[in-house]
Amino acid sequence: AGSTLYGDVDIQLATGAILRNRGTVRLTRSWFATGRYVWDRLPTPADSLIVLAAYANPTFTSTNDSIGILSLQSQVAQFVDMAGTAVALHRLHFSQGLWLTDALSNLRLGPRAEAEGFRFDRFVNGPLELANGPGSATARLLPIGKDTVYRPLTFFDIQNATASLTRAELFNADPTATGAPGQRFQRLSQQRFFRVDVPVGSLGTNVEVRTPWGPTDNYTVAEFSFLRLGIRQDPSSVGDYDTLRTVNRTGAAVAGALRSAAPSFGPTNYLVLGINKLEAGTLIAAPANINIGDTAQMQLVGADLGPDITRQIFRSQDGGAFNPLTSIGGNQTALNSYTVFRTT
């Protein structure tokens, strides 16, 4: 039937020692452990470590990377403080509240781990890790958010033949603080971006990523169809956010989810939602050194915006009505030449 531990629990195990358990352990207050804590059998809903709601905002702390908790469940209405905790999970269940992690936490979903019960008021507030490997699903969800904002990340088509590790965190901060101005977007998401680290292995080259959007993401209802996901690798580089091809968009204008293709993730990556700047358009006048009524050839040269972007070229003879000429891939920097007219 398991056991209930009242008050503060402090477990100090010698190096190499293992504390084994069968059944459910219920905590009413705080947990501090040094060493390895495991279950003897496969996890079931009855084989869990449950943090009860008897004490407001308890702490759950471990100082050893090798601690193994198969199933973790919270029944705390507000949050469970897991700052600095290293825990490997087979199951993460949300009944109430938040799991609060920080930069020193290693809360990790194992290769076959499941998260359940998450929603807008039940998520991991801070970084969460995802271990992948043989037997892992190719689609994995990280139920993360920050403060009152819930923004889960889902990765699709993960390469799981070899072991990899992903660590993701949401920041309610200025995306340009990562060193990139976002010049390839008309406007970036308001005060929000993801950091995705892949310190071990690779997620593969065909990964797609999905994230929700909402009314606080700095767009108007008329612009929601122009929402794009941008990615930037390596915070020390001078590169800007690259616009990713939109694979699928679901939901209404006020809220929904955006699924995008992504290049192979590097060790450190930043993801941000924004309005694609290309939608604003650019007007280029005919050269001033040709006579009225004459024609000239003009070659357009643009920045490399990646293979998933398309430029639309229009021409007007009177400055009023513009007619489409052609479409050009965004990764072409030297574009074709076009005939232009000077009418005034």
Side-chain angles (χ1 to χ4, degrees):
S3 58
T4 300
L5 304 179
Y6 295 92
D8 295 326
V9 178
D10 189 345
I11 299 176
Q12 304 288 329
L13 297 179
T15 302
I18 299 176
L19 178 62
R20 298 187 181 276
N21 177 74
R22 289 189 176 185
T24 297
V25 174
R26 297 175 177 85
L27 301 177
T28 64
R29 189 156 175 153
S30 297
W31 164 287
F32 180 85
T34 300
R36 185 173 175 81
Y37 189 90
V38 300
W39 267 263
D40 272 347
R41 53 189 181 182
L42 292 176
T44 69
D47 297 335
S48 305
L49 194 153
I50 301 177
V51 182
L52 302 177
Y55 177 74
N57 304 332
T59 60
F60 186 103
T61 306
S62 165
T63 60
N64 193 317
D65 286 344
S66 66
I67 188 171
I69 302 296
L70 290 181
S71 183
L72 197 58
Q73 179 175 341
S74 172
Q75 295 180 0
V76 177
Q78 295 180 331
F79 64 83
V80 178
D81 188 351
M82 303 191 71
T85 296
V87 182
L89 301 174
H90 187 91
R91 176 175 171 265
L92 178 61
H93 180 84
F94 296 86
S95 296
Q96 297 186 72
L98 310 176
W99 294 103
L100 186 63
T101 59
D102 65 3
L104 300 179
S105 301
N106 296 104
L107 181 62
R108 181 177 303 172
L109 295 176
R112 299 187 182 184
E114 297 179 357
E116 55 189 39
F118 49 83
R119 64 181 196 184
F120 68 95
D121 58 350
R122 303 174 188 169
F123 54 84
V124 175
N125 190 338
L128 178 61
E129 295 183 351
L130 185 68
N132 294 297
S136 298
T138 57
R140 305 288 303 276
L141 181 144
L142 288 172
I144 59 175
K146 188 68 174 179
D147 301 328
T148 60
V149 179
Y150 176 48
R151 289 288 186 272
L153 276 180
T154 304
F155 298 94
F156 297 90
D157 298 325
I158 298 174
Q159 176 182 310
N160 58 12
T162 58
S164 67
L165 181 66
T166 306
R167 181 182 176 92
E169 183 174 5
L170 177 68
F171 293 87
N172 290 329
D174 184 359
T176 63
T178 64
Q183 292 182 345
R184 295 178 180 177
F185 287 86
Q186 184 178 355
R187 186 169 62 259
L188 291 178
S189 177
Q190 184 178 18
Q191 302 287 309
R192 188 165 299 125
F193 66 91
F194 295 94
R195 174 169 171 163
V196 178
D197 295 318
V198 188
V200 177
S202 170
L203 293 178
T205 58
N206 297 315
V207 175
E208 296 174 359
V209 60
R210 181 176 65 194
T211 181
W213 77 78
T216 61
D217 282 315
N218 197 26
Y219 71 96
T220 66
V221 171
E223 294 173 322
F224 91 100
S225 61
F226 301 143
L227 276 172
R228 300 290 185 271
L229 192 64
I231 187 170
R232 178 174 182 264
Q233 296 185 15
D234 186 2
S236 64
S237 72
V238 296
D240 207 344
Y241 287 97
D242 289 321
T243 306
L244 298 178
R245 176 175 55 89
T246 298
V247 177
N248 181 263
R249 180 185 287 104
T250 58
V254 293
L258 183 71
R259 177 170 169 175
S260 294
S264 181
F265 284 96
T268 299
N269 314 269
Y270 294 95
L271 299 173
V272 63
L273 280 168
I275 301 299
N276 191 343
K277 191 174 183 178
L278 294 179
E279 305 298 342
T282 301
L283 181 64
I284 303 174
N289 59 351
I290 63 174
N291 296 322
I292 295 176
D294 290 345
T295 63
Q297 294 290 315
M298 177 184 293
Q299 185 181 49
L300 304 181
V301 179
D304 184 351
L305 299 182
D308 296 319
I309 300 299
T310 300
R311 291 185 175 97
Q312 300 290 337
I313 308 297
F314 295 80
R315 180 177 63 188
S316 171
Q317 297 187 23
D318 58 6
F322 284 83
N323 299 306
L325 283 178
T326 187
S327 298
I328 301 293
N331 59 341
Q332 293 183 243
T333 55
L335 308 183
N336 296 333
S337 297
Y338 300 99
T339 301
V340 294
F341 305 86
R342 184 178 178 190
T343 58
T344 58

